Amino acid sequence: MSYEKNGNGFFTVLKAVAFALAVSLLAVVVFACVLRVKPLSDRAVYFVNQVVKNLAVIVATLLFVRGEKGWLKGGAVGLLFTLASYLTFSIVAHTFSLSALAVAELFVGLIAGAGAGAIAVNLR
């Protein structure tokens, strides 16, 4: 990636991934506190976690991605964030298993980031 006014595109992507990961972790902690008061089904918990992850990718991409190739940078944010969050939550849960569902989550993260990146560069 070429250099941009606000720095290297690679570091822009890393900043966005770090921001998305921080927002996601904070939201998961808040959601865990809510679950202590009002338990939900596993299906509902999974749905909320997916919404939180994708919103974190979209917000981070909209805040950090600028310049050219927004779809590519956004896709990288979505993919790297999904990998980082999967590894982070696997470490916390002390389990690691790769499944078709994990691959689907990677694809959804990639698409969410790419779409948000395309929008982000056209908003400015």
Side-chain angles (χ1 to χ4, degrees), residues 28-41 44-45 49:
V28 167
V29 168
V30 169
F31 185 53
C33 292
V34 170
L35 286 176
R36 292 190 65 117
V37 176
K38 176 72 173 128
L40 297 174
S41 70
V45 170
N49 281 334

Side-chain angles (χ1 to χ4, degrees), residues 51-65:
V51 169
V52 164
K53 286 184 199 180
N54 286 308
L55 283 176
V57 167
I58 291 167
V59 168
T61 301
L62 289 173
L63 288 175
F64 287 92
V65 171

Side-chain angles (χ1 to χ4, degrees), residues 56-99:
V57 167
I58 291 167
V59 168
T61 301
L62 289 173
L63 288 175
F64 287 92
V65 171
R66 291 172 175 58
E68 299 175 344
K69 298 180 184 174
W71 65 272
L72 184 60
K73 294 174 193 170
V77 169
L79 190 63
L80 291 174
F81 165 77
T82 305
L83 282 170
S85 68
Y86 186 75
L87 291 173
T88 301
F89 290 114
S90 292
I91 290 168
V92 169
H94 300 292
T95 61
F96 181 81
S97 63
L98 205 52
S99 65

Side-chain angles (χ1 to χ4, degrees), residues 11-25 60 64 77 81 84:
F11 291 111
T12 299
V13 168
L14 286 182
K15 286 189 285 188
V17 169
F19 179 82
L21 196 54
V23 167
S24 177
L25 287 170
F64 287 92
V77 169
F81 165 77

